[in-house]
Amino acid sequence: MYLAEGRGRTSCGWCCCWGWPPPRAPSIPTWASRTRATPVVLDPMSGCSCKKAAPVGHVLCFDYVTCKRFPSNVTVEPLDGEAVLQVRATSIARLAVGDLELLRHLTELAVDNSRVLTRVEPGAFRGMSLLFNLSLSFHPHLQHLSPAALEGLTALRELYLIRNGFLRLGDVTPALATRVLPQLALLNLDDNALRAVEADDFSPLGESPLEKLSLAECDLGALHPAGLAPLRRLAALNLDDNHLDAGALAAALDSLGARAGGVALQRLSLGSMGLRLRLRPLMTSPSPAPANSSDGTTEDSLASTAELLEETQTPPSTTAASTAVTPPRPSWDQPGPGGPFYQLLEAVARSQVTELVLRGNEVARLRPGALPRLPGLRRLDLSRVDLAEGLPGGLSVDVVPDLEELDLGGNRLPSLRPGFLSRRLLVLNVTASAAPYFNLAASYFRDMSRLRSLDLSYNRVFRLTNATFVGLDSLRVLTLRNSSLFRLDYGLFLPLARLERLDLSGNPFPLYHSLHAGQFSGLGSLRVLLLAGCSISSLPADAFRQLSALQQLDLQDNMLATLDGASAFRPLHALERLDVSRNRIGPWRSALFDHNEHLRELRAAGNRLTYLTEAMLDDGDGLDVLDLADNTFHCGCDLYKPASSTLLEDRGGGSNATLMLSRLSQYKCLSPDRWWNRSIAEYLQWARAHVACGARTDTAVTSTSMLWVGLPLGVLILVLLGSATVAYRLRHHLRFYIDTARARAGRRRHGRGGELAAHVNFQYDAFVSYSNEDQAFVHRLVTTLENEEPHFRLCVYERDFTAGSAITEAVLSSVASSRRILLVVSDAFARSNWCAWEAHIAHHQRLLTEDALLVVRLGAVNEALLTPTLRYLLSTRIYLDWPEAAPAESQQAFWRRLRAALAPPVGAAHQSPE
């Protein structure tokens, strides 16, 4: 069982480097299941709060304040042979005999994060012969496990003892003896301050089936050469984030390789160990060599012929001008063959290690001779090693003849020179280079015909040429996410005839060069195309004409405003999944997917769908997944009429109609107010039952006299009731316009005195309209203007709106009670429908009271997001720009200008907040 509180850190080499799966986590419940939250039950005997967790068969107990004993009476119902209990964030001081008496059927148990747990009593787990996964992690006061503490766990395969108070392995390993845990295969001791591995620390695990051992972040500074020798079946070892001597590591690897009848070590992680791999010229004499020797050999020429390795230890400094003879350095500090780090790499070469992680160390350059020959190595991680130069031969097939996967992400490489990498590579990752420009213009991959996966994401590539991908005949996956691509040349992908997945997300090339078929020429085998966040505003009819095999298309987070009349999807006969989420798409009236018979999944969440048309309902018919969440549905007749003819009338397709209604029950109405946050399906059923929107009634009127007498009377009553209802619902609007009209009349009658009177007796100085995403600035705005002289009273909905009142009524009432309206305009404000409505109200207030509206702009606002009202306000009003990154003087000037704008007219009584 894997808990979210740190089991296997995000940098854990086991998860992301080995393909070794992390401890299994209880699966996260879906949105629907989270809405039906399981009630929390308090166990009076232990003080713990417990609840069922997803999936079924999992139980979670917690409560740091009151949970001081193990919840012995909790009921965990098994499902498909699994019974999982998590007890975390508690104040349990010990695990005692009998605590698990009623829980012997558990298969997974986690007792994590108790700051007072100090002891596990011998026999506490007795009888738990079904438990195969146990976590006792995050207990800072648990410093020792007695030899009998884990007795009874005969089936245990995975044990996690992360971030406890262990200071010596000898305080733990006796409890892990083979006779106690005969099936233990994985042991994680990460983040314990162990400091050293002594010769006998793992002797209790002799003949243990342990295969995977993690000692990351254990502050290890010493490793006995025979310390790991008892682990005869060890296949994976993680020593990340320690500071072990390279020579000691080499000796330990040789000791592991000398085992007879054991399983050879295959996976070794030495990430962030402070190892430095630098190149220095060969020193041929004890004394410093001159820059130009007598035979004409220069230091640079020596460097090019005999580049060697520099050790972790910093060599003693020497003075070139010194006439004294400098004695040669000892062999343990000698850069080059024989040095500790080189010995370590040679030990790796002698071993059967197939996966090596050197992530987070320091490798400045890779040139010929920098590394020993590493046969058998299949995967090498050199990410984040500060690599700035790779010359031909550095990682060629002569150095790593069997290498298949290479990770060079997070370095400073400006390019990939031909001949630098092995031509036998299958997977290459060169992401997030810190170089100012990553050059891919030349045919750097021309000899890499076996490469199947290439990731060049998060580099400053800017442009690719027709020669960039020449030679990549077998490439299946190409990832260019966020690579600053402003142009895709015609025929760029022609060499990639076998490409199946292409990720171009986050590149703005469609903003400068619209999509066209030529950009995807040669991609007849492409199955997945990702174009998320590419600033796509339209889809030309021939954009995807050459992608006949495409099955998945991702167009989310773009600027598409409509799909009406779009024929770009018609050539995609194999299309199965389409994602157009988070665009600006409104309802479409013509069928879009009548040529996509294999389409099974459509995601259109976060758009501007206000109603459903018959074409949309027909397009959604038969889909396995239809996601329309977070749209601005208006539950009115525009929504009801097409739905009634398609879903509510019996046309012989009852099962599909029922499925569609079930889906619509997940989506909420945004307006009108009476249907806000209620499901669309609920509205449709109500509209049908109440004969709304001009639907026919089945009740026959048989009396002509009653019709002629009752109809006018009924109309009159309805008009009166309707007028009263409208007047009541719009009472704040009416009050708003009446008060404004009175103020203007008073100004005409009394001149300047009337104008001053109109500015007095407001409850607030300003109503602040803003987006939730700008709360941080609004909090600073309110704090500054209300707490510093002169004091202003602002109205913000989070604090001043009455709970339970309708939002529209609360806004109109607050605007009428405020002297001015202050709009905090940003991209988030422009995207918000509610903010657009408040801006509309502010516009009408401006028409009636010229000085009522103030605008503060937070950064540049995307013109494409502006509504006509907001665009008009910004173009006709002088607004204040918030100087976010400006000096303090500029910000003080901003506050002074804003206070002056908010101040009441001269002579008006300014009301400070009480």
Side-chain angles (χ1 to χ4, degrees), residues 24 58 266 282 443 588 731 751 878 898:
R24 294 189 302 117
H58 291 221
Q266 297 176 358
L282 181 65
S443 305
W588 61 89
R731 61 190 184 280
I878 298 177
L898 182 58

Side-chain angles (χ1 to χ4, degrees), residues 14 18 20 185 208-213 228 231-238 253 256 259 262-269 352-356:
W14 307 122
W18 302 135
W20 184 10
S208 171
L210 188 69
E211 299 175 357
K212 301 173 183 178
L213 173 63
L228 301 173
L231 306 177
R232 301 175 60 84
R233 299 189 183 180
L234 191 64
L237 176 62
N238 182 4
L253 283 179
L256 285 173
R259 299 173 301 183
V263 177
L265 186 69
Q266 297 176 358
R267 307 176 182 95
L268 177 62
S269 182
Q352 297 187 36
V353 169
T354 60
E355 302 180 20
L356 176 63

Side-chain angles (χ1 to χ4, degrees), residues 519-812:
Q519 293 171 330
F520 304 111
S521 296
L523 297 178
S525 300
L526 195 68
R527 296 183 180 181
V528 178
L529 177 60
L530 307 181
L531 294 171
C534 289
S535 303
I536 299 173
S537 57
S538 62
L539 294 175
D542 68 337
F544 309 121
R545 175 169 48 85
Q546 304 197 40
L547 306 179
S548 58
L550 196 67
Q551 297 176 355
Q552 178 181 342
L553 178 60
D554 185 354
L555 294 169
Q556 60 180 316
D557 295 301
N558 281 291
M559 300 187 298
L560 294 171
T562 181
L563 295 180
D564 247 335
S567 56
F569 306 124
R570 291 186 177 179
L572 305 178
H573 300 295
L575 188 65
E576 297 178 1
R577 291 179 288 176
L578 174 65
D579 192 341
V580 291
S581 301
R582 295 185 298 279
N583 280 272
R584 307 168 190 172
I585 300 170
W588 61 89
R589 296 175 176 79
S590 57
L592 298 178
F593 310 115
D594 48 353
H595 290 72
N596 309 110
E597 59 182 18
H598 297 288
L599 188 65
R600 292 294 177 266
E601 180 177 326
L602 173 61
R603 299 187 180 275
N607 282 285
R608 299 180 179 178
L609 302 178
T610 54
Y611 57 90
L612 299 173
T613 65
E614 291 189 23
M616 295 169 64
L617 294 170
D618 289 340
D619 284 337
D621 188 21
L623 295 179
D624 296 333
V625 176
L626 177 62
D627 185 3
L628 301 176
D630 300 322
N631 276 286
T632 57
F633 288 113
H634 176 81
C635 289
C637 293
D638 287 340
L639 177 67
Y640 174 78
K641 289 180 179 179
S644 64
S645 61
T646 305
L647 303 179
L648 302 181
E649 295 183 6
D650 187 5
R651 294 187 175 182
S655 60
N656 289 339
T658 302
L659 176 61
M660 182 62 73
L661 282 174
S662 175
R663 287 173 173 169
L664 294 179
S665 65
Q666 304 175 35
Y667 308 123
K668 308 296 182 180
C669 305
L670 182 64
S671 59
D673 286 348
R674 74 173 288 189
W675 287 102
W676 179 80
N677 206 36
R678 297 168 70 178
S679 75
I680 293 177
E682 183 181 357
Y683 164 75
L684 294 177
Q685 299 291 356
W686 175 88
R688 182 185 188 187
H690 289 76
V691 198
C693 300
R696 290 190 318 163
T697 176
D698 296 329
T699 304
V701 180
T702 57
S703 176
T704 304
S705 58
M706 290 182 63
L707 176 64
W708 286 102
V709 174
L711 184 60
L713 182 61
V715 170
L716 179 59
I717 294 175
L718 289 176
V719 169
L720 293 176
L721 289 176
S723 301
T725 302
V726 170
Y728 177 76
R729 291 181 62 85
L730 300 179
R731 61 190 184 280
H732 296 294
H733 296 72
L734 296 174
R735 176 185 172 186
F736 173 74
Y737 290 118
I738 291 173
D739 289 345
T740 306
R742 288 177 177 175
R744 302 187 74 176
R747 287 198 299 271
R748 288 193 297 268
R749 288 195 307 267
H750 304 293
R752 181 63 180 172
E755 181 178 347
L756 292 178
H759 286 274
V760 182
N761 296 325
F762 284 102
Q763 184 178 359
Y764 303 103
D765 291 289
F767 169 80
V768 184
S769 175
Y770 63 97
S771 168
N772 283 334
E773 297 181 29
D774 301 322
Q775 282 182 341
F777 172 77
V778 174
H779 177 74
R780 181 172 181 179
L781 174 79
V782 173
T783 303
T784 302
L785 295 181
E786 290 191 349
N787 296 337
E788 297 178 10
E789 292 287 343
H791 300 290
F792 290 94
R793 173 76 172 177
L794 304 181
C795 178
V796 290
Y797 78 89
E798 291 179 321
R799 180 188 66 186
D800 301 311
F801 280 19
T802 303
S805 61
I807 295 179
T808 53
E809 295 183 3
V811 169
L812 292 170

